[in-house]
Amino acid sequence: MRLLFYLGILFFFTPVSCAKKSKQKVGEAQSITSPAGTNASLPYLFTNTETTLLSWIEEVNDSLVSLRYSELKEGEWLNPTTIVSGSDWFVNWADFPSIVENNGHLFSHILKKSSEGTYSYDVKMNLKRAGTSAWYTEMPLHSDQTPTEHGFVTAIPYQADSFFVTWLDGRNTEEIDGQERGAMTIRAAEVSVKGEIVNEVLLDSRTCDCCQTTAAVTENGPVVIYRDRTENEIRDISIVRLVNSKWTNPVSIHEDNWKINGCPVNGPKAAAIENVLVVAWFTGANEQSAVEIAFSNDNGTNFNAPITIGSDNVIGRVDVVLLDKNTALVSYVESKDKSAQLKVAKINQSGEVSNAKVITEISASRKSGFPQMELVGDKILFAWTDVLSGKSNVRTSLISINDL
């Protein structure tokens, strides 16, 4: 089923236009000059109380691409830095690189082809230790060497000097001597700032093949949320939690009972403050598209009934942040005529939902990717791929929380 669905996923890299240098209004959001150059796409945002980073992919020429990043300072992006370049990467609209910071240490990753097979690629880590200028690049994350699919990485700061990383791992899907292929799995590990892999663990032996993963750290420890897959092709959102140094069995956050024979390529997003965890996800259950949001007040052990937002035109591609322990912001993409809109809504635990605000018009095609959203002080930062006349560019904007 995975291969049948993947026929619909385009391996693309489209030339893009230069970023505009003048500030402009994007709805009520204030556009800020993008640090990305020409031929850029696949933005990823990371922020904590002190550091805000943006990474993206840039095409250098017909065969060479680079992973670049920039830091936001006083509302402006600094000059960008190239982390690593390559001519043998897997560049895809849904499975994209990331960057994360922890006490000055930086982690990023790319996807590198492992064979001539279309969807055989490995996760390669890039690490830069605090106080140094050199990146150690293309370090292996997973221990197997199968020519299969590995990706959909989530990396978050963990402990004082390490990163918690989870990913989809296809080592069991390799076809051997005509035997039936196994299922996609999800794994996790801790990565030291030296690139050492510790506590690697199998979290679930059967998952959806190509939906993004997400993770957060609660008071009890890390939790991983992802789209699961039953033998009957029910693909709802599950959670596993690290409790007393042991991982729990997968539990469904809510039984949407979405039965679909191919991966929808529409993963969940999560955020946590102390014991409060919020998860947002897309579902097409009962032939009706919707974005669901569920709160937990006990570190993900139990969840309140989900709150539904959006309409039948919702495409998904969600993101979520917690403004406080009672209030979340959820962004999502909704189709409109021949294009689409990036929208954001405010939701509190009582079920009150604000009127959704349009942040920007975007392309409804896969080339617009998965928009990013982060809380930066008293503002919300957005990043997305802008597609115009077949060309793409990375755009960023800020909007005050008071305007939402």
Side-chain angles (χ1 to χ4, degrees):
M1 292 299 180
R2 179 173 65 91
L3 290 179
L4 289 175
F5 177 80
Y6 258 150
L7 292 176
I9 298 180
L10 299 179
F11 181 90
F12 78 95
F13 211 96
T14 308
V16 302
S17 57
C18 297
K20 294 182 179 180
K21 298 302 181 182
S22 60
K23 289 189 175 182
Q24 57 178 328
K25 285 286 185 178
V26 181
E28 293 186 14
Q30 181 67 54
S31 175
I32 52 178
T33 301
S34 171
T38 58
N39 304 329
S41 62
L42 309 182
Y44 182 88
L45 284 177
F46 168 83
T47 189
N48 55 29
T49 56
E50 297 180 354
T51 303
T52 299
L53 301 173
L54 170 71
S55 68
W56 66 93
I57 287 288
E58 235 174 77
E59 183 181 9
V60 179
N61 54 44
D62 290 342
S63 60
L64 187 67
V65 294
S66 296
L67 175 62
R68 310 195 77 196
Y69 78 101
S70 176
E71 183 175 358
L72 188 69
K73 288 289 188 181
E74 298 180 353
E76 295 185 355
W77 295 107
L78 301 182
N79 289 333
T81 299
T82 297
I83 299 173
V84 62
S85 299
S87 58
D88 55 355
W89 293 5
F90 179 79
V91 181
N92 180 270
W93 74 286
D95 195 356
F96 41 86
S98 65
I99 190 166
V100 185
E101 189 268 353
N102 188 10
N103 290 322
H105 307 293
L106 294 178
F107 171 101
S108 68
H109 85 278
I110 59 152
L111 306 172
K112 186 173 183 177
K113 296 286 292 180
S114 59
S115 77
E116 295 298 321
T118 304
Y119 298 108
S120 60
Y121 56 96
D122 295 333
V123 178
K124 298 295 185 180
M125 306 181 297
N126 311 300
L127 288 157
K128 187 172 86 69
R129 300 183 67 179
T132 67
S133 58
W135 282 89
Y136 293 90
T137 61
E138 299 196 11
M139 306 169 70
L141 171 63
H142 41 89
S143 56
D144 72 296
Q145 296 181 349
T146 61
T148 59
E149 183 182 355
H150 306 77
F152 297 97
V153 173
T154 295
I156 55 177
Y158 190 57
Q159 309 297 351
D161 58 355
S162 64
F163 300 91
F164 175 81
V165 185
T166 187
W167 70 96
L168 294 187
D169 191 300
R171 67 183 67 184
N172 295 338
T173 65
E174 185 177 14
E175 295 184 25
I176 301 177
D177 298 329
Q179 296 180 1
E180 184 177 353
R181 298 185 325 136
M184 181 65 72
T185 67
I186 186 168
R187 295 175 180 264
E190 297 172 39
V191 178
S192 77
V193 296
K194 296 180 180 180
E196 300 162 331
I197 310 297
V198 296
N199 298 325
E200 181 178 344
V201 61
L202 173 67
L203 300 177
D204 194 329
S205 61
R206 181 182 174 87
T207 72
C208 203
D209 294 83
C210 45
C211 280
Q212 296 79 18
T213 63
T214 189
V217 177
T218 70
E219 280 185 332
N220 276 358
V223 297
V224 175
I225 301 100
Y226 56 98
R227 192 175 296 281
D228 219 333
R229 179 187 178 190
T230 71
E231 294 286 347
N232 295 324
E233 302 294 358
I234 301 298
R235 302 183 189 235
D236 290 343
I237 305 303
S238 289
I239 182 172
V240 291
R241 300 174 293 116
L242 185 61
V243 179
N244 297 325
S245 301
K246 294 183 178 180
W247 285 96
T248 63
N249 291 326
V251 175
S252 180
I253 288 176
H254 181 260
E255 293 183 355
D256 297 331
N257 290 317
W258 187 14
K259 186 172 184 177
I260 178 172
N261 290 329
C263 178
V265 195
N266 230 317
K269 291 299 288 283
I273 298 178
E274 298 175 352
N275 65 309
V276 174
L277 174 68
V278 64
V279 180
W281 71 94
F282 172 82
T283 180
N286 302 315
E287 299 183 355
Q288 185 172 3
S289 300
V291 171
E292 305 277 10
I293 305 96
F295 287 88
S296 169
N297 293 295
D298 55 9
N299 305 291
T301 305
N302 301 283
F303 282 85
N304 299 336
I307 302 161
T308 303
I309 63 174
S311 69
D312 287 342
N313 296 322
V314 166
I315 297 173
R317 307 184 197 178
V318 301
D319 205 347
V320 66
V321 298
L322 277 170
L323 300 181
D324 53 50
K325 296 178 73 172
N326 185 58
T327 311
L329 284 178
V330 177
S331 66
Y332 57 96
V333 177
E334 186 172 284
S335 63
K336 181 184 179 184
D337 300 325
K338 295 182 180 181
S339 62
Q341 295 176 327
L342 172 59
K343 289 187 171 184
V344 62
K346 186 183 299 183
I347 302 98
N348 61 38
Q349 291 213 41
S350 66
E352 182 181 354
V353 180
S354 70
N355 292 328
K357 183 176 291 292
V358 176
I359 299 301
T360 186
E361 301 282 339
I362 66 172
S363 169
S365 74
R366 290 176 175 144
K367 291 182 179 180
S368 63
F370 285 74
Q372 303 284 299
M373 176 178 67
E374 289 287 347
L375 174 65
V376 180
D378 61 352
K379 294 180 173 63
I380 302 296
L381 175 64
F382 294 91
W384 67 95
T385 300
D386 185 42
V387 182
L388 182 63
S389 300
K391 297 183 178 182
S392 61
N393 192 18
V394 171
R395 302 289 189 191
T396 59
S397 67
L398 283 165
I399 187 169
S400 172
I401 294 173
N402 294 331
D403 291 332
L404 296 173

